[in-house]
Amino acid sequence: MPNDKPKKGAFQRRPRSSADSDTFHARFAAELPESSILPDSCRTRLYDHFRQIEKEFEILYAENYQLKDQLSDLHEQLDTQCGLDKDSPDTTDKTHGAANAIKKSGSQISQKIKTTYKTSTSKLVSTFKSPTVSSHLVRKFEGHTDGIWEVNVSKDGPVKVLGTASADNTARLWDTETGRNLVIYKGHSGSVNSIRFHPTDDLIVTASGDCTAQIWKPQLPTECSSDDDVVAPDFENGLNDSFEAEPVSETCALLPLLGHKGVVIAADWLATDHKVITASWDRTAILFDAETGEVIQTLSGHDLDLTDVHTHPSHQLVVTSSKDTSFRLWDFRGPNHVLSVFQGHGQTVTTAVFVGSDKVVSGSDDRCIKVWDLKNMHSPLSTIRTDSGINRLSISSNQSTIAVPHDNRHIRLYDINGVRIGRLPRSSRRGHSRMVCSTAWNKDENSSCNLFSCGFDSQLFGWKVSQVSKEGKNKENSNKDNKSS
């Protein structure tokens, strides 16, 4: 400590008298140049301001020394207490008691913080719980020579047919149970971007980079549905996972749909009517007559390229998604087509699909999935935040599970409330090696594959996803415990 430190109480603010004011005036006036041009009134005001400054500085200076004195006292008490602690065990106990009290108080504060954090992140924590579904790869379909943009399953019929649209300019149909490639459609001169089955008829509509959509009727081999004639490959046991049967090639469109000036990115069938709706990079959607190919109406309004289009399963409703971060709901049930615009994403909306009769699920490059109620679409019912961009997702037939294909090669499963329930396995041999573009659910619960996925790695996979019961979980945990013991 320096020797010139003022002693305790040495500094005290002394009251200012009139003599002090006169002295201050005289000292300040003496320091002013004789040739000062300041008027007397201004000079008096200036003196008053300096007096106020001096008063405030004295107050602060006094308070500063008082604080220093208090701090010095505290240091002396601490030194004295430390000296007593060395000789007195009772004092040590008291000190430890005080320390324990501090720790207890800190623990209580920490517990409050943890409780608040747990409440605010309960939804996030739930995603780390044990998955409620089990999944494994059943079948691998081989044939495409370039990326596969979309996969879909036929609605009805004795044989479930799988359809794929690829960048190799072809669309293909597959037997879901055997993996056999049944049909190759070669009617497009550009990348085939989507494939959709008619709800009731044996018709298919495909959209392409050649600026057209085409309606065609496949000629399926008559023997494709017999399980006795063809032995399905067993991928899980390491057997040959490709099929060498020669597929039927088709090159003629039943009806081309012309009218777009850019890439047609998707096309779908309008429910309860023989119409097709298309979405294009020319920023428009066109409603076509599926019997004549005539343009019924051109829908405009999006500011950037469209990315997808889907129709309602039972009503004449259409939802289009776009790179302009919005998706639009078009209502064709009345003479005046009602339009609703929804902007809930921060980047390109890659897809928007109907769930049942009253919900819409949208996915975006902003890594979010949102579930909306058609009756109140001002804000989403739930928001699912992920770690990668979302592509063309699908919803299971019981409307309970969303299969989400990601840019980062993963496929995740969520329930409709936004809780993550599982992830499909991915390794060098079982899973996609590049971006997963699309998923599709199979309504047939008895099928060997009830979920399909395709990707930019030219791969098409069939998966079996099943619910895990609580009894099954307990049994699995018991088996693990027995092995560890």
Side-chain angles (χ1 to χ4, degrees), residues 387-401:
D387 60 353
S388 182
I390 316 298
N391 295 312
R392 291 181 177 175
L393 52 80
S394 61
I395 293 90
S396 61
S397 57
N398 60 4
Q399 303 171 18
S400 63
T401 308

Side-chain angles (χ1 to χ4, degrees), residues 227-241:
D227 292 336
D228 297 332
D229 297 338
V230 182
V231 179
D234 188 348
F235 187 80
E236 286 297 309
N237 294 327
L239 300 181
N240 181 24
D241 49 27

Side-chain angles (χ1 to χ4, degrees), residues 442-461:
N442 188 354
K443 291 184 179 180
D444 186 2
E445 296 296 333
N446 297 322
S447 175
S448 59
C449 303
N450 61 352
L451 179 62
F452 301 92
S453 65
C454 64
F456 203 61
D457 54 5
S458 309
Q459 300 296 326
L460 173 63
F461 294 125

Side-chain angles (χ1 to χ4, degrees), residues 177-195:
E177 292 304 309
T178 65
R180 179 182 173 186
N181 188 186
L182 306 175
V183 174
I184 302 177
Y185 181 69
K186 300 180 179 179
H188 288 287
S189 60
S191 171
V192 185
N193 301 319
S194 77
I195 182 168

